[in-house]
Amino acid sequence: MQTELGAALPLWDLSSLSTLSFLSHSENTTFLARDPASGRRLVLRVQRIGYHTSAEIRSELAWIDALIGEDVVVTPRPVADGEGRSLCPIVLNGSPRQIAAFEFLSGKEPDPSGDLVAWFGKLGTISARLHTHSRRWNKPPDFQRKVWDFDAMLGNRPLWGDWHAGLGLREDGRKLLQRVADTLRQRLDTYGNTNDRFGLVHADLRLANLLVDGARLGVIDFDDCGFSWFFYDFAAAVSFMEHEPMVAELQASWLDGYRAIAPVSHEDELMLPIFVMLRRMLLTAWIASHSDTETARRLGTDYTDGTVAMGEQFLQTL
């Protein structure tokens, strides 16, 4: 894949001296292209086969363009190829693939051992700005993104796999998590999905998708953006550390930052632990269905065991 993609770099007006290096593999595979002749750097995202339609990807890019145009968030700008295509079709390893290109954004992932609480205050402010924009933005008529409701996460049409197949999940754990899932469904049904609570969100604001550079906090990877509960964005932000004691402090800081821009009702705040448990079970399903990723290999059955432990505590605290 990398060799064929490297040969296609002139499509983005990159010189023959350009190099291509692997960045990450999750839902998609990303590479960094460097052109020493011009100093230009682009991130190329090879879209996963069978996940998003072309219309869904173009809709993601349209929202990013709108957010940049209105200075809502610092995020990499999508870059069209030399023919003006926001999605460039290239055959890689014998399969037709869609490539989205983005400007390079400097920075590094926030350090969990550093001043993460302060960064979560900034993230709360960014989240509120995103949600405010989402509520008022006039979407293009052909706008299409996935809906991240309960059925898409833990129900009968799971987009990231079946949580019942969690790595190492035993029958006793499966029964307990079924009780958790039933409780989550009931609480989410009661909370509802009216327009003030449910709309277009980033849906994956985890640390790996944040870039710190000095005092600036940038956001990347809108690939999972879709329609869900606005306050699910906090749960995504604490991905893979949902069980850590510091989550309570992170939540308080996030809420302070959010309230600097937009109100948070008492009912919204009470839903945050619901969304955190929902996200934890969703990630348990994702790890099982994405066993080829470094994240899944690193976390494995330990993450599933932790989900069961979290689920037991969750049921006890209701």
Side-chain angles (χ1 to χ4, degrees):
M1 175 188 293
Q2 187 165 339
T3 300
E4 293 168 305
L5 185 58
L9 292 181
L11 290 170
W12 289 276
D13 298 324
L14 297 170
S15 77
S16 59
L17 299 175
S18 299
T19 60
L20 192 68
S21 56
F22 172 82
L23 286 178
S24 66
H25 170 68
S26 183
E27 290 297 334
N28 310 302
T29 307
T30 57
F31 297 89
L32 176 62
R34 294 183 177 91
D35 186 350
S38 63
R40 191 179 183 206
R41 288 182 288 180
L42 291 181
V43 173
L44 303 181
R45 189 177 74 191
V46 181
Q47 298 291 148
R48 173 184 169 191
I49 296 174
Y51 186 45
H52 290 309
T53 66
S54 296
E56 288 173 336
I57 302 168
R58 290 192 179 95
S59 296
E60 171 207 352
L61 302 179
W63 190 31
I64 293 172
D65 280 334
L67 292 169
I68 293 173
E70 298 181 40
D71 293 324
V72 175
V73 64
V74 176
T75 191
R77 186 182 302 275
V79 177
D81 67 11
E83 297 182 22
R85 297 173 296 190
S86 59
L87 270 181
C88 181
I90 297 177
V91 175
L92 302 176
N93 294 341
S95 299
R97 306 295 293 269
Q98 299 274 19
I99 315 299
F102 300 88
E103 293 178 344
F104 175 80
L105 182 65
S106 63
K108 62 181 180 179
E109 178 180 331
D111 183 357
S113 64
D115 195 7
L116 198 56
V117 172
W119 288 118
F120 261 71
K122 291 194 174 189
L123 182 58
T125 297
I126 290 170
S127 299
R129 289 169 61 87
L130 285 170
H131 298 166
T132 300
H133 181 273
S134 170
R135 288 185 173 100
R136 63 175 172 75
W137 184 45
N138 291 321
K139 302 171 187 64
D142 57 350
F143 191 88
Q144 299 177 32
R145 291 300 297 176
K146 287 180 168 53
V147 177
W148 292 100
D149 57 12
F150 180 87
D151 282 335
M153 295 187 192
L154 306 183
N156 56 22
R157 52 178 179 85
L159 293 172
W160 278 0
D162 185 356
W163 67 263
H164 297 84
L167 298 180
L169 184 59
R170 298 180 297 274
E171 185 59 27
D172 56 341
R174 192 172 290 109
K175 289 180 179 178
L176 185 142
L177 290 183
Q178 184 62 62
R179 291 169 52 207
V180 172
D182 293 342
T183 302
L184 291 172
R185 181 189 285 276
Q186 185 273 322
R187 291 292 297 269
L188 291 168
D189 285 347
T190 300
Y191 183 64
N193 59 355
T194 52
N195 291 340
D196 59 325
R197 294 177 172 176
F198 197 98
L200 182 61
V201 298
H202 183 284
D204 198 21
L205 288 171
R206 57 195 174 99
L207 298 188
N209 290 331
L210 306 177
L211 288 178
V212 170
D213 191 350
R216 186 215 71 201
L217 184 63
V219 173
I220 62 173
D221 195 1
F222 281 72
D223 181 61
D224 288 312
C225 73
F227 297 94
S228 192
W229 295 276
F230 289 110
F231 288 94
Y232 172 73
D233 265 345
F234 170 75
V238 296
S239 292
F240 305 116
M241 55 180 176
E242 308 91 344
H243 58 289
E244 297 288 349
M246 71 182 304
V247 167
E249 195 175 1
L250 296 178
Q251 176 178 308
S253 182
W254 188 89
L255 285 170
D256 285 344
Y258 198 103
R259 286 187 168 116
I261 301 295
V264 179
S265 71
H266 180 62
E267 191 173 8
D268 293 332
E269 186 171 347
L270 289 177
M271 286 298 294
L272 293 179
I274 303 298
F275 292 128
V276 170
M277 192 71 234
L278 177 71
R279 175 72 172 189
R280 176 77 186 211
M281 288 189 64
L282 175 64
L283 290 176
T284 303
W286 184 89
I287 287 170
S289 62
H290 292 68
S291 57
D292 61 327
T293 64
E294 188 277 331
T295 299
R297 289 191 294 268
R298 174 170 50 85
L299 297 174
T301 59
D302 287 346
Y303 194 78
T304 303
D305 293 342
T307 302
V308 174
M310 268 191 68
E312 186 172 18
Q313 184 178 19
F314 172 78
L315 292 173
Q316 292 172 354
T317 56
L318 290 178

